[in-house]
Amino acid sequence: MEYRERIFQQEGERFPGKTYVEAVLEPAFNEAKNHLLGPMMAINKAHLIMLREQELLTEEETKAIARSLVGIEMEELRRSAYTGQFEDLFFQVESRLLELAPDVAGNLHLARSRNDMGIAIYRMVLRDKLLVALGSALYLKEHLLLFAQEHAETVMIGYTHTQQAQPTTMAHYIMAAVDLLSRDIQRLKNAYQTCNRSPMGAAALTTSGFAISRERMKELLGFDELVENSYDAVCGADYLGEAATAVQLAAINLGRTVQDMLLWCTQEFAVLKVASPYVQISSIMPQKRNPVSFEHMRSLLSSSAGNAAAVLTMMHNTPFGDIVDTEDDMQPYVWKSMSVLEQMYRLMACVVGTMEVNKEGLLERAKGSFATVTELADTIVRTDHLSFRNSHHIVSRVVKEAMAAGMRADEISLELVNRAAREVIGKDLVMTAEELRLALDPVHFVKIRKLPGGPNADEIKRMIAQRTTTLQADAAWLAQEKQGREQMWKELDQRIADWSVG
C-alpha cells in the first residue's frame, strides 16, 4: 500500500497521470497541433455545411456555429501547451467552440464521433503527404531521365554477382533505376487512391439514425470514394499499411542504387565524381573528397524503411476494431518514413544532376575487360555455324590462355582463337580478324543489342521518350489532385465565412 501511495503522490490521483502525460498525451497533443488541426477544422466546416443542407440545423444555429468556427484562433491553438485540462486537441477545440457559441455549438457533433472524424483526419493528412512524396519522386525521375539522355552512349561494364559481366551503358543502368522508381511511383499512387476514401458518417461504428449525407461529406472533403462499410471505416488500417509498404519498398529500392553509386565513387572504381556541394573534406587527409551525401542517403533510406516496417509491426495481431494501436501512436511513423523518403528523392536528384562521369575511363576499362567475350562466342556461332556450347568451349580456352599471359581482351589475336578452335573442333575458324575485332569491341557489343529494353542508344532514347510521356501524365495528375485540395479548402472557408457574417 505504501508503494501504491508513493505512485499516487508522484503521478496524481486523477486523470491524467504525470507519466501518462509525458509518455503519451503530450507528444500526441503536439503531433496533433502540427499535423491534425487543419483537417480537423475542415471536417467541422464540412459537417456544418452538410447538416444545414440536410436541414438538421436551423439557419440561425448554422450561422452561430459558423461564427464560432471563424472565431477559433488557429495560431493560438498551435502555440498552446498540453495542460491536462483537456484529454486531447479535439476536446480543446470543442470547448472553445462552446465558449463562442454556448449550447448551439454542441449540435456540430450531431451524427458523428471522434472515431470517424479521427480516421478522416488521418486520411486527409496522409493523402497530402503522399502527394508531396509523389512530387519529389517525379522530380527525381525527371533528373534521372535527363542524366540517362546525356549518357546514352557512355559505355561501361555491367556486373552480375559483383563480377564483370557484359558491356552496357550508364543510361541502360539508369533507365533500370527509372523503371524501378516508376513502379514505386505507381505504388504510392495506389496507396493514395486507397487512402483518399471518406469514413465520415460511420460515426462511432454503426452510422447514425439522423438523415445525414455521407456522400456530401465525401464531396466536401475532396475524397474520391466512401469507405462504405461503417465498421471498416473506423476499424480498417490497411490504408496506412499500404502506404507504409509502398514507402518501405521505395526506400529499399532507392537504397540499392545509392549503394552502387557510393561504390562507384571510390578511387578503385573511379566512375563518379560528386559535385562540391555534396562532398566533405577530411580534417586530416587533404586529398580526400568524401561523398557523404550518398552515405547519408543510404543510412536515412534505411531509417525510412525501418519506420515503415514499424507501422506494419504495430498493426500485427491487433484486434479488428477502433483501437489506438492503429491510430494515434502509429501515424507519426508513417509521416516520418515518408518525409525522409521525400527528402532523399530531392537530394538524389541534386547529386545525380551535378555529378561527373568518367566516360573515357569507363570505355577504356570495358575495352580491356573480358566482359565482351559473350559476343565472341555469339559471333563464332554466326560465322562458323557451331553450336553455342562448342563456341563457348573455344572462347573459354581463349580466355584462360589470354589471362594466363596477362593479356587484355582487346589484345586477343585470331591465331590464339584458332589455336583454341583446333583443340576443340580440330580446325581453324572461318571468322576473320575484322569480325574478331568487332566481337571484342564493347561499343559494337552495345550497338547490336537493340532488342526492346537493350542498351543500344536508339533503344535507350525510345525508352527515355516513352518514360518522359508517362512522367508528364503523372505530373498532370499530381497537379490536378493538388488543385482539387486547394479548391476544397477555399470552398469550405468561403461558405463558412459567408454564413458567419450573414
Side-chain angles (χ1 to χ4, degrees):
M1 291 297 294
E2 290 180 5
Y3 174 73
R4 184 182 181 190
E5 288 304 317
R6 284 199 303 271
I7 293 176
F8 280 136
Q9 288 176 8
Q10 174 184 312
E11 298 286 310
E13 297 187 7
R14 300 180 63 182
F15 182 88
K18 180 174 178 291
T19 301
Y20 185 45
V21 168
E22 293 176 356
V24 177
L25 297 180
E26 187 172 25
F29 181 81
N30 290 331
E31 290 285 357
K33 287 190 306 179
N34 294 330
H35 297 277
L36 309 183
L37 182 57
M40 182 187 298
M41 295 304 295
I43 290 171
N44 283 334
K45 293 173 182 178
H47 196 66
L48 177 60
I49 293 169
M50 182 274 296
L51 290 176
R52 176 58 190 145
E53 291 177 349
Q54 296 297 111
E55 299 183 347
L56 292 170
L57 291 177
T58 67
E59 184 176 350
E60 291 73 20
E61 290 172 329
T62 301
K63 289 181 178 180
I65 296 172
R67 285 191 289 270
S68 69
L69 287 171
V70 172
I72 292 284
E73 293 289 341
M74 298 287 283
E75 290 308 313
E76 181 181 335
L77 282 171
R78 290 192 176 99
R79 290 193 302 269
S80 63
Y82 185 80
T83 64
Q85 180 181 0
F86 306 103
E87 179 182 341
D88 58 18
L89 186 64
F90 169 83
F91 283 117
Q92 184 169 341
V93 170
E94 184 175 69
S95 175
R96 182 59 181 147
L97 289 172
L98 288 169
E99 289 176 9
L100 294 168
D103 296 328
V104 69
N107 284 332
L108 184 59
H109 206 53
L110 202 68
R112 74 179 189 184
S113 163
R114 275 201 303 169
N115 292 1
D116 60 346
M117 275 189 73
I119 299 301
I121 289 169
Y122 291 140
R123 285 176 177 265
M124 291 172 73
V125 171
L126 183 59
R127 74 181 178 187
D128 285 348
K129 292 182 182 299
L130 280 163
L131 290 180
V132 173
L134 279 162
S136 295
L138 294 177
Y139 179 73
L140 172 59
K141 183 175 179 178
E142 177 187 2
H143 283 273
L144 289 176
L145 287 169
L146 291 170
F147 186 80
Q149 188 171 3
E150 180 182 353
H151 294 286
E153 298 185 38
T154 301
V155 174
M156 60 181 274
I157 299 172
Y159 291 77
T160 63
H161 301 281
T162 71
Q163 303 300 303
Q164 294 184 1
Q166 292 183 330
T168 183
T169 65
M170 179 63 74
H172 191 226
Y173 174 93
I174 292 296
M175 289 305 293
V178 165
D179 285 355
L180 195 60
L181 175 61
S182 297
R183 294 193 293 274
D184 288 326
I185 288 169
Q186 186 58 53
R187 279 185 280 267
L188 289 169
K189 286 180 66 178
N190 291 342
Y192 174 85
Q193 289 161 357
T194 298
C195 175
N196 198 30
R197 298 173 178 171
S198 174
M200 289 304 298
L205 192 69
T206 60
T207 74
S208 171
F210 288 99
I212 62 169
S213 172
R214 295 193 66 197
E215 292 78 10
R216 182 60 174 145
M217 284 297 290
K218 176 201 73 173
E219 294 168 1
L220 288 166
L221 293 172
F223 288 108
D224 291 331
E225 300 177 37
L226 286 176
V227 183
E228 187 176 39
N229 184 290
S230 62
Y231 197 107
D232 183 29
V234 299
C235 302
D238 58 304
Y239 77 95
L240 198 60
E242 184 175 348
T245 301
V247 169
Q248 183 181 29
L249 191 53
I252 290 170
N253 285 340
L254 186 58
R256 297 180 72 195
T257 303
V258 168
Q259 171 69 359
D260 279 351
M261 290 188 173
L262 183 57
L263 184 64
W264 294 350
C265 289
T266 60
Q267 286 95 331
E268 287 76 12
F269 268 82
V271 174
L272 303 177
K273 181 180 180 182
V274 175
S276 295
Y278 309 107
V279 298
Q280 288 179 354
I281 306 303
S282 169
S283 64
I284 190 174
M285 295 167 283
Q287 85 282 5
K288 291 190 69 188
R289 298 179 79 258
N290 300 325
V292 292
S293 50
F294 278 131
E295 294 178 59
H296 285 298
M297 277 189 267
R298 183 172 60 177
S299 61
L300 288 170
L301 286 166
S302 294
S303 79
S304 176
N307 278 315
V311 172
L312 300 174
T313 303
M314 292 171 79
M315 287 173 59
H316 179 61
N317 277 353
T318 59
F320 181 37
D322 175 65
I323 187 169
V324 297
D325 305 59
T326 56
E327 294 173 1
D328 303 4
D329 299 329
M330 195 164 63
Q331 303 291 331
Y333 285 93
V334 180
W335 303 338
K336 177 65 173 176
S337 63
M338 196 169 300
S339 175
V340 170
L341 176 66
E342 181 272 327
Q343 291 169 347
M344 295 306 102
Y345 278 151
R346 288 188 283 115
L347 179 57
M348 182 72 162
C350 294
V351 174
V352 170
T354 56
M355 68 187 181
E356 299 175 17
V357 177
N358 182 6
K359 296 181 182 181
E360 295 77 14
L362 284 172
L363 179 58
E364 185 63 23
R365 184 178 299 159
K367 286 179 177 178
S369 170
F370 289 92
T372 56
V373 296
T374 298
E375 180 54 33
L376 176 55
D378 289 347
T379 298
I380 293 172
V381 170
R382 287 191 288 265
T383 59
D384 287 70
H385 307 292
L386 299 182
S387 70
F388 180 78
R389 190 51 56 204
N390 275 339
S391 178
H392 185 279
H393 288 323
I394 293 170
V395 173
S396 179
R397 287 173 180 265
V398 169
V399 171
K400 288 178 182 177
E401 187 171 339
M403 293 181 71
M407 299 169 61
R408 289 163 48 102
D410 55 1
E411 294 173 337
I412 293 173
S413 66
L414 184 58
E415 172 54 33
L416 174 57
V417 176
N418 279 329
R419 188 161 61 245
R422 289 192 291 271
E423 293 175 359
V424 174
I425 62 172
K427 62 179 181 178
D428 288 350
L429 299 176
V430 174
M431 183 180 65
T432 66
E434 176 60 16
E435 288 169 332
L436 173 62
R437 185 192 68 78
L438 283 175
L440 296 174
D441 180 5
V443 175
H444 177 74
F445 186 104
V446 167
K447 183 177 181 180
I448 63 175
R449 276 159 173 77
K450 52 189 177 183
L451 291 174
N456 171 275
D458 290 336
E459 175 60 13
I460 289 292
K461 291 172 185 176
R462 181 200 64 80
M463 287 191 281
I464 291 173
Q466 192 275 329
R467 273 57 166 181
T468 300
T469 299
T470 303
L471 171 66
Q472 292 167 346
D474 283 339
W477 171 86
L478 180 63
Q480 184 177 10
E481 291 299 316
K482 287 183 175 180
Q483 185 179 10
R485 299 291 83 73
E486 292 173 3
Q487 188 64 30
M488 177 205 81
W489 288 100
K490 289 178 182 178
E491 290 177 359
L492 289 176
D493 291 345
Q494 187 61 56
R495 190 81 175 272
I496 297 303
D498 290 345
W499 280 338
S500 71
V501 297

